Amino acid sequence: MSIFTPTNQIRLTNVAVVRMKKGGKRFEIACYKNTVVSWRTGAAKDLDEVLQTHSVFVNVSKGQVAKKDDLTSCFGTDDLTEICKQILTKGELQVSDKERQSQLETMYRDIATIVAEKCVNPETKRPYTVSLIERAMKDIHYSVKANKSTKQQALEVIRQLKESMEIQRAHMRLRLMLPTKEAKRLKEKLKPLLQVVESEDFDEQLEMVCLVDPGCFREIDELIRCETRGRGSLEVLSLKDVEEGDEKF
C-alpha cells in the first residue's frame, strides 16, 4: 500500500531548524543537529554536512516547501543554496530549552578549557586547572553567549578575570635573527613588543631569545619581514612558557 504525499511536502527527522523572517514571510531550513553553531564559528566548512536538504521551507515540521515566487521576491534570487546560506548565517536557530541549556553548558566548559590552555599565573608561571577557571567564571557571573565563538569569549573571559585574579596569557618563546645592518634600529622598534629578553648573541647577525605575549606575534613577524626585506627570521621555540604542575588557590 502506498501513502500519498503531496509534491510540496518533504518529511525529515532529527532536524535542527533555522528560521528567518523576510519580506513579511517566514522561511526555514533543515539542518543536522549540532552543526549550525559549527558552521557559524567556521569549524564546519562543508554545507552538505550542515544542511539536510538544499530546500527552503515555510514550515519544516509540516514539510511545506516555500514557493519559488516568494523566494525571488524576498531574497532577490531563486538560487536555493545561496538562500540557505543567508538563512544559515542570519537566521534564528530553533532549539528546545533543554537543548539550549545543554549547548550553553558545553560552551561554558569549552571556554574554560581554552582559558586554562592559554593562561598561567604570572608569578609562578604555572597553568590553572579547567575546574578552577570554571569556578572563577562563576565568581564573576560570566554568562555564555550562544552566538559568539568560544575562542572570542575565552579572550573576553581572560580580560575580565584579570580584574579579580593573577592571570595572563602564557608567553611564547621566540628566537629572532636580525641582520647586522638593521639590528640596532629594529631592536628599538621591537622593544615595546618584547616582555623579556632572555639572551642576545651578536656574531654575523643579532640573535635574540625572548618571551612575548601571543597577541604581539603577528606584529613582530610582520615588522621583521618588512624591515629586513625577508633577510631576518623568527622561530617559535615554545608556544607556552610554563612551569610543571597546576596552580592552586
Side-chain angles (χ1 to χ4, degrees), residues 6-29:
T7 54
N8 72 331
Q9 288 196 350
I10 298 174
R11 296 288 182 195
L12 297 161
T13 56
N14 191 29
V15 179
V17 176
V18 181
R19 181 181 297 159
M20 185 178 184
K21 287 185 178 174
K22 197 171 176 72
K25 298 183 185 298
R26 184 177 85 172
F27 299 100
E28 297 180 346
I29 55 173

Side-chain angles (χ1 to χ4, degrees), residues 95-114:
V95 291
S96 67
D97 290 341
K98 189 177 177 184
E99 282 179 313
R100 183 177 286 110
Q101 188 57 36
S102 173
Q103 179 194 342
L104 292 177
E105 284 172 3
T106 300
M107 289 182 76
Y108 195 91
R109 179 81 177 174
D110 289 347
I111 292 166
T113 302
I114 293 170

Side-chain angles (χ1 to χ4, degrees), residues 49-179:
E49 290 181 3
V50 180
L51 294 177
Q52 293 216 10
T53 168
H54 287 243
S55 300
V56 180
F57 301 81
V58 288
N59 189 315
V60 168
S61 61
K62 292 181 180 176
Q64 294 174 345
V65 181
K67 292 175 183 168
K68 188 174 179 180
D69 290 348
D70 289 343
L71 294 173
T72 305
S73 64
C74 292
F75 291 94
T77 179
D78 61 358
D79 183 334
L80 292 178
T81 300
E82 197 52 47
I83 294 169
C84 284
K85 281 184 183 176
Q86 279 193 49
I87 297 172
L88 188 56
T89 305
K90 299 176 184 174
E92 188 179 325
L93 177 61
Q94 309 298 301
V95 291
S96 67
D97 290 341
K98 189 177 177 184
E99 282 179 313
R100 183 177 286 110
Q101 188 57 36
S102 173
Q103 179 194 342
L104 292 177
E105 284 172 3
T106 300
M107 289 182 76
Y108 195 91
R109 179 81 177 174
D110 289 347
I111 292 166
T113 302
I114 293 170
V115 174
E117 286 173 350
K118 288 182 177 293
C119 295
V120 293
N121 180 322
E123 292 180 3
T124 63
K125 298 280 182 71
R126 289 174 182 266
Y128 288 107
T129 62
V130 174
S131 57
L132 198 149
I133 296 296
E134 283 185 302
R135 287 206 304 276
M137 286 167 65
K138 285 189 176 76
D139 289 343
I140 62 170
H141 307 293
Y142 186 78
S143 59
V144 177
K145 298 160 191 70
N147 60 343
K148 286 183 75 175
S149 75
T150 49
K151 189 173 180 182
Q152 280 179 305
Q153 293 187 74
L155 295 174
E156 177 59 33
V157 166
I158 294 168
R159 277 194 292 272
Q160 291 187 28
L161 288 179
K162 281 181 177 178
E163 297 173 16
S164 58
M165 64 188 281
E166 291 292 326
I167 189 170
Q168 71 174 29
R169 289 186 67 179
H171 292 143
M172 298 172 74
R173 180 175 279 107
L174 305 178
R175 177 185 285 122
L176 313 181
M177 306 292 283
L178 310 177

Side-chain angles (χ1 to χ4, degrees), residues 198-214:
E198 293 185 327
S199 68
E200 283 187 47
D201 185 18
F202 217 130
D203 193 8
E204 291 182 4
Q205 54 186 345
L206 175 60
E207 178 183 325
M208 297 170 68
V209 175
C210 50
L211 299 179
V212 305
D213 187 299

